[in-house]
Amino acid sequence: MKNKICELLEKNRQNTKNGSLPTYIPELIKTDPEILGIYISKLNGEEFGCGNYKHKFTMQSISKVITLMLALEDNGEKFVFSKVGMEPTGDSFNSMMKLEIVTPSKPFNPMINAGAIAVTSMIKGISSKEKWDRILDFLRKITCNPNLDINKSVYISEKSTGDKNRALAYFLKDVGIIVGDAEDQLNVYFMQCSIEVDCCDIARIASFIANNGIIPSSGEKLVSKKNAIIAKTFMLTCGMYDGSGEFAINAGIPAKSGVGGGIMAVVPNNLGIGVIGPALDIKGNSIAGVKLLSDISKEFDLSIF
Ligand code: DON
C-alpha cells in the first residue's frame, strides 16, 4: 500500500501548481505551495507517511470536527441542533447569506464558519480559557501528542484580519444563538483554527473517528459511537463545503478540509488519513489533496458506497 500511495502522491504533485494560497489570512501565504504530503494511520496500528508528511500546518476548519464532537458530548444532540442545523449550504465556508433567509435564524451546519463559531460557544467551561484548555487537552489525547499547541503568528494574523467571522459572531449573538461575550467566543474559535499539526496528528484524529470515538492504540473511549457517526456524516455532506458532492462522488470518503491546506479523511472501521497540500482550489480545499484522495480511494476501493 505504501509504495503505491507514495507513487500516487508524486503523480499528483504537479496539481499543486493549479492552486493558490489563501490571502485573507496573511500568515498562511508564508508557505511553499508545492508541498504535498500524506500520512496513513490504520486501526491495526500500522502507520506510514509519503512526501512532505512532516510539514507543519494549522488545522483551520479541520478543528470544527473536534469542537463538534466535544460540544455534542458536553450538551447532547438535542441542544446542539437547537442552535445549528444539519443541512449543506452549497455556499462558501464563510458565507453569511443564508443566516438571514431562514426563520428562526440559525447556521445551516457545524462545518461552515457561522456554525462552527456557534458550536465552539457551546463547549463547557466557566471561562474562555477553560474552554480552550478542554479543546487542547481533548486533541492532545486523541493525537497522542502532548506537545500540540497553537501557532502564535497564525493566531495573531487570523485574529487581526477576522472581521467576517466577527460579523458572523455578532449576528449570531444578536439572534440569541451565541450567549456571552462574542469576542471571547471568537477568540477560542481563532485559537482552535491556529492549532499546529502535521499529517500524522491529522491521521490519528481520523483513525479515532474511523474507530467510532475510541483511541485505537489505547482503547480509551472519548466520544460515543453516535456522536462519532454524526461527525462522519457531516464530514461527508458538508466537510468539503460546496465541493462536498463532487468529493463524495469521486472519493466517497468522509473528509474535512482546512485553508491551511490540510484534509482529514476517515475510512470507517479501517484507517485515518492526513493530507497537506497548501495550494487551494477556488472552494478552499487543497487542490492536489482532493485529487490524491480520489486516486487513493479508487486504487484501494475505499469508497463507503
Ligand atoms: O475562519 C476561517 O476563515 C479560517 N480560520 C478557517 C476556514 C477554513 O479552514 C475553511 N476551509 N477550507
Side-chain angles (χ1 to χ4, degrees), residues 24-25 60-61 93 113 158 165 189 193 241 257-259 284-285:
Y24 79 103
I25 303 174
Q60 298 300 335
S61 288
F93 60 86
N113 289 9
E158 185 130 356
N165 286 326
Y189 171 77
C193 289
Y241 305 107
S257 62
V259 285
N285 302 320

Side-chain angles (χ1 to χ4, degrees), residues 1 38-43 62 65-66 69 111 142 199 201-214 216 225 227-237 239-240 247-248 251-257 262-275 293 296-297 301-305:
M1 191 180 203
I38 190 167
Y39 199 87
I40 308 282
S41 175
K42 293 192 181 181
L43 296 198
I62 298 173
V65 182
I66 283 79
M69 291 189 293
M111 301 289 113
I142 298 172
C199 289
D201 297 317
I202 295 297
R204 287 190 180 164
I205 305 168
S207 66
F208 164 80
I209 299 171
N211 203 28
N212 281 324
I214 298 170
K225 182 173 179 180
N227 290 340
I229 289 173
I230 293 174
K232 280 182 278 190
T233 311
F234 274 122
M235 289 170 74
L236 188 86
T237 56
M240 307 297 277
F247 189 78
I253 317 172
K256 181 77 208 78
S257 62
I263 303 179
M264 172 170 81
V266 171
V267 184
N269 306 312
N270 185 353
L271 52 86
I273 309 177
V275 172
L293 285 168
I296 291 173
S297 176
D301 199 15
L302 300 180
S303 169
I304 62 169
F305 298 107

Side-chain angles (χ1 to χ4, degrees), residues 46-72:
E46 200 187 313
E47 293 189 335
F48 59 86
C50 300
N52 312 105
Y53 69 91
K54 291 186 178 155
H55 179 76
K56 300 262 188 207
F57 57 97
T58 50
M59 287 187 88
Q60 298 300 335
S61 288
I62 298 173
S63 67
K64 294 167 178 174
V65 182
I66 283 79
T67 45
L68 172 65
M69 291 189 293
L70 198 51
L72 284 166

Side-chain angles (χ1 to χ4, degrees), residues 33 131 159 175 284:
K131 282 185 193 207
K159 192 172 172 164
V175 294

